[in-house]
């Protein structure tokens, strides 16, 4: 969802950095970027390992409040081409699943705010699984909820952890970079695209 369908990752990192600094902490950009595509629980674990003395729950609570304000103000939008692509995929008669590391309570509101939720046939959220991305569990559960064989699923990702999750689940994967360049192990196994709209001709083959 974040970074693939919704242009939310930059906003989240911005308000997270601002919230931390307001509480007297400065997190490295590298560490913060390493949490893209992973669950809330894994994010907190990564941050506590890197900064054991910081009040991470309080910082994330303030971050969430700031992000909600941005979303309510209409500042969080769908990624370019996302709605067009979802409409085209729906027109092909294909089922659409959502597999996100974001918790359900936040993800559903975001999906509704940008007009995407109506396209989704089945969803897996970060709090639906015990092992988040890059473990294959999220994508295997998504395929199950769609009633599909993972080997017949086409996953679109913008994060290395998400791509590795889908690849490990046996899916065909397209990688559309947003904030993180494609790593070698993903580049060797996924189709690299510049825009999500480029999946339309791939699915029409």
């Amino acid at each position: 969802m974040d970074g693939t369908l919704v242009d939310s990752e930059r906003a989240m990192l911005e308000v997270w950095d601002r919230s931390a600094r307001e509480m007297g902490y400065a997190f490295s950009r590298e560490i913060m970027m390493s949490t893209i595509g992973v669950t809330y629980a894994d994010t907190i674990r990564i941050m506590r390992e890197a900064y054991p003395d910081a009040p991470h729950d309080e910082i994330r609570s303030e971050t969430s409040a700031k992000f909600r304000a941005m979303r309510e103000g209409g500042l969080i939008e769908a990624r370019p081409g996302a709605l067009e692509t979802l409409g085209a995929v729906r027109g092909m008669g294909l089922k659409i699943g959502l597999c996100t590391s974001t918790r359900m309570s936040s993800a559903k509101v975001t999906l509704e705010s940008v007009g995407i939720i109506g396209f989704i046939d089945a969803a897996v959220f970060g709090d639906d699984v015990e092992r988040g991305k890059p473990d294959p569990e999220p994508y295997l559960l998504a395929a199950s909820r769609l009633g599909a064989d993972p080997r017949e699923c086409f996953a679109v990702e913008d994060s290395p952890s998400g791509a590795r999750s889908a690849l490990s689940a046996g899916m065909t994967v397209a990688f559309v970079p947003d904030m993180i360049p494609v790593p070698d192990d993903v580049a060797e196994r996924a189709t690299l695209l510049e825009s999500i709209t480029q999946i339309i001709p791939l699915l029409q083959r």
Side-chain angles (χ1 to χ4, degrees):
M1 182 184 77
D2 300 291
T4 303
L5 297 175
V6 184
D7 199 4
S8 48
E9 288 178 340
R10 288 175 181 79
M12 180 60 75
L13 288 178
E14 175 190 331
V15 295
W16 187 12
D17 180 65
R18 183 162 18 114
S19 297
R21 291 181 184 278
E22 287 172 356
M23 295 186 190
Y25 295 87
F27 299 149
S28 79
R29 185 76 170 179
E30 181 181 2
I31 293 293
M32 294 173 71
M33 291 280 286
S34 72
T35 67
I36 289 179
V38 305
T39 64
Y40 177 82
D42 285 337
T43 294
I44 293 296
R45 176 184 55 76
I46 290 168
M47 296 306 294
R48 282 181 173 152
E49 288 175 358
Y51 302 96
D53 298 327
H56 295 290
D57 289 329
E58 291 85 348
I59 291 171
R60 291 294 289 186
S61 178
E62 181 61 24
T63 298
S64 295
K66 286 182 169 66
F67 183 81
R68 284 195 299 271
M70 292 184 69
R71 184 174 59 200
E72 290 166 5
L75 299 178
I76 305 301
E77 300 178 336
R79 290 280 296 162
L83 292 170
E84 172 190 347
T85 301
L86 290 169
V89 173
R90 172 69 72 223
M92 296 177 204
L94 298 175
K95 291 182 178 180
I96 299 175
L98 179 82
C99 189
T100 178
S101 295
T102 301
R103 291 176 292 180
M104 186 190 334
S105 58
S106 176
K108 281 191 171 181
V109 177
T110 298
L111 292 167
E112 289 173 355
S113 73
V114 298
I116 284 176
I117 199 164
F119 290 101
I120 307 302
D121 295 300
V124 171
F125 302 97
D127 39 0
D128 283 335
V129 297
E130 293 184 7
R131 298 175 302 280
K133 303 174 184 179
D135 191 275
E137 181 184 352
Y139 272 105
L140 290 173
L141 180 57
S144 175
R145 289 182 175 179
L146 285 171
D149 184 330
R151 294 169 297 181
E152 297 178 348
C153 294
F154 188 96
V156 185
E157 272 285 354
D158 75 297
S159 75
S161 62
R164 290 168 183 141
S165 174
L167 287 165
S168 295
M171 297 183 179
T172 299
V173 176
F175 192 86
V176 185
D178 180 26
M179 297 188 68
I180 304 176
V182 57
D184 290 342
D185 67 303
V186 172
E188 292 169 357
R189 303 172 62 196
T191 299
L192 306 184
L193 305 177
E194 294 180 359
S195 166
I196 192 172
T197 59
Q198 291 178 324
I199 74 168
I200 297 173
L202 293 179
L203 294 175
Q204 290 172 332
R205 292 178 183 174

